Amino acid sequence: MISKLTEKLTRSIAGGIAGKKDKLTPAAAATQTAATMKMEGDSNTPEHDAPRPSLFEPLLAKCKTYNPAITAVVHPVTVEAIQGAVEAEAAGLITPFYIGPVGRIKLAAESVNITLPPDQLLDVPHSHAAADRAMHLAKMGQVEMIMKGSLHTDELLAAVLEKEHDLRTQRRLSHVFVMDVPSYNKLLFITDAAINIYPGLSEKVDILQNVIELAHALGVTAPKVALLSAVETINPNIHSTIEAAALCKMAERGQIVGGQLDGPLAFDNAISPAAAAAKGIAGEVAGHADVLMVPDMEAGNILAKQLTYMAGAVSAGIVLGARLPIVLTSRADGARSRLLSAAIGLLLLRQRVTLPKPHSHDQRL
């Protein structure tokens, strides 16, 4: 009797599975889609059987051919800020000067058994004074790079922008995350996720030119730039699609130089050849982007943090558009991210490429 019931139950389960084979759960459907993409061969998705080497390693190796950058580390009163600078110095990337309340700096360093050389400590009472001192040293040419310590980004950048410090250029300041995403086959540049909240068309021109020049400095000689939006077609009700189209035309007219632009593109068809092919999107950029330009800071910040916390990405952060590189990471970032950011800053400093001057977009009749 038991054997007959077991046989009947087995047939029933098998029949149920067969009858529902076309009704996959969302999780099962996602698994099947991923397996299909792997079989079809999405060229930007590396195999996961063995961890691949860090994409930052060639850049770190290149850094060894240059002298370290004399760097003002601004208000480093936390362990992470100090460890990042110390490790960057040990890697030959920077020669740091720690600017801030020396008592607090020493206390944080000694908590992890680090002894900082007295001649690399500059004592000032608080974070505002530290930022002001660092910018004065930069103006006088006594430091080559700025590294954010434990102060707020707004406080640091306010000091950069003060007219008396003479660190501004004709470009707008913008931020770039350089990210090594395990599921992508090359470094990904994301801009702007930290400074420009809702940039307009003119601001986006500067943001694009800044990131293109950074890509050139890091050895990407013809960066593929995807201008992101929610959709890949122009929709009058989605302003970012209109701006993306205008920026592409500006690039055609020589108002943005040094990169290959395409947009609007949705995130999937910017980084996945399979997604781009499925939607019939041709071109050099779709599916192969080096740079993702987001429509605004909110979108960029969410994207960068999703890649970090859910996709295991490792990132470096830097501010562009000033007279010298500004290493800028989140206060929550660890020492490794700060070290990698210092490497990006050093390469920008030593390998800066002079591109042809863009045609003015402010010409008068």
Side-chain angles (χ1 to χ4, degrees):
M1 178 66 71
I2 293 176
S3 63
K4 289 184 178 179
L5 287 173
T6 302
E7 183 181 352
K8 183 176 181 181
L9 181 59
T10 301
R11 287 199 303 269
S12 176
I13 292 172
I17 293 174
K20 295 180 181 179
K21 64 181 179 181
D22 294 328
K23 298 181 179 180
L24 296 176
T25 65
T31 301
Q32 186 183 75
T33 300
T36 301
M37 287 180 66
K38 186 173 181 180
M39 286 188 293
E40 291 176 351
D42 194 325
S43 62
N44 283 344
T45 306
E47 297 292 338
H48 293 282
D49 295 337
R52 61 160 169 74
S54 167
L55 298 178
F56 283 108
E57 289 306 319
L59 299 183
L60 291 170
K62 185 67 175 176
C63 286
K64 294 182 185 298
T65 66
Y66 296 113
N67 291 328
I70 302 171
T71 302
V73 186
V74 185
H75 197 64
V77 297
T78 61
V79 168
E80 293 78 12
I82 292 169
Q83 284 181 324
V86 168
E87 291 181 14
E89 182 180 21
L93 302 173
I94 66 172
T95 299
F97 288 89
Y98 301 90
I99 307 174
V102 166
R104 293 181 64 188
I105 294 172
K106 285 183 175 180
L107 187 65
E110 290 167 359
S111 71
V112 287
N113 299 315
I114 293 175
T115 301
L116 299 175
D119 61 353
Q120 291 180 232
L121 296 171
L122 300 178
D123 190 23
V124 297
H126 45 66
S127 58
H128 181 77
D132 189 68
R133 181 72 176 276
M135 302 314 151
H136 176 73
L137 292 174
K139 177 182 178 180
M140 300 303 293
Q142 294 178 321
V143 298
E144 299 175 285
M145 190 158 70
I146 302 292
M147 176 182 280
K148 177 189 170 187
S150 313
L151 73 171
H152 286 277
T153 297
D154 289 350
E155 189 173 10
L156 180 68
L157 296 184
V160 174
L161 294 173
E162 283 187 16
K163 188 174 181 180
E164 64 180 273
H165 292 142
D166 194 31
L167 297 179
R168 303 181 68 169
T169 67
Q170 293 182 336
R171 293 264 182 85
R172 189 176 186 85
L173 295 185
S174 62
H175 182 271
V176 178
F177 279 116
V178 184
M179 309 196 80
D180 180 1
V181 185
S183 58
Y184 205 57
N185 69 340
K186 54 185 173 179
L187 290 173
L188 198 57
F189 299 69
I190 296 177
T191 192
D192 181 345
I195 295 180
N196 293 285
I197 301 175
Y198 297 115
L201 190 64
S202 294
E203 291 80 11
K204 287 182 177 180
V205 171
D206 282 350
I207 292 168
L208 281 170
Q209 203 62 68
N210 283 342
V211 72
I212 288 170
E213 290 185 6
L214 174 63
H216 278 262
L218 300 188
V220 184
T221 56
K224 299 177 175 66
V225 182
L227 309 175
L228 294 189
S229 185
V231 294
E232 61 279 350
T233 53
I234 297 172
N235 184 330
N237 296 317
I238 304 177
H239 191 65
S240 59
T241 66
I242 299 172
E243 286 192 335
L247 290 165
C248 288
K249 182 56 69 174
M250 292 175 79
E252 287 183 22
R253 296 288 188 265
Q255 293 172 268
I256 302 166
V257 299
Q260 304 174 68
L261 274 62
D262 196 3
L265 290 172
F267 178 79
D268 57 348
N269 45 62
I271 55 92
S272 167
K279 294 190 176 182
I281 303 172
E284 295 293 321
V285 177
H288 303 282
D290 297 295
V291 177
L292 301 178
M293 179 173 176
V294 295
D296 55 52
M297 191 183 78
E298 287 180 307
N301 199 274
I302 292 168
L303 173 59
K305 288 179 178 176
Q306 281 178 325
L307 291 174
T308 298
Y309 289 99
M310 299 188 74
V314 177
S315 68
I318 192 162
V319 174
L320 310 170
R323 294 193 182 278
L324 75 174
I326 302 169
V327 172
L328 193 147
T329 57
S330 167
R331 284 172 293 154
D333 287 334
R336 179 67 174 173
S337 180
R338 295 168 191 268
L339 180 149
L340 295 173
S341 301
I344 298 301
L346 178 62
L347 291 175
L348 177 62
L349 189 65
R350 305 290 189 233
Q351 297 188 162
R352 190 183 292 273
V353 175
T354 302
L355 297 175
K357 187 175 181 180
H359 297 157
S360 173
H361 57 274
D362 192 33
Q363 291 178 342
R364 300 290 189 263
L365 293 177

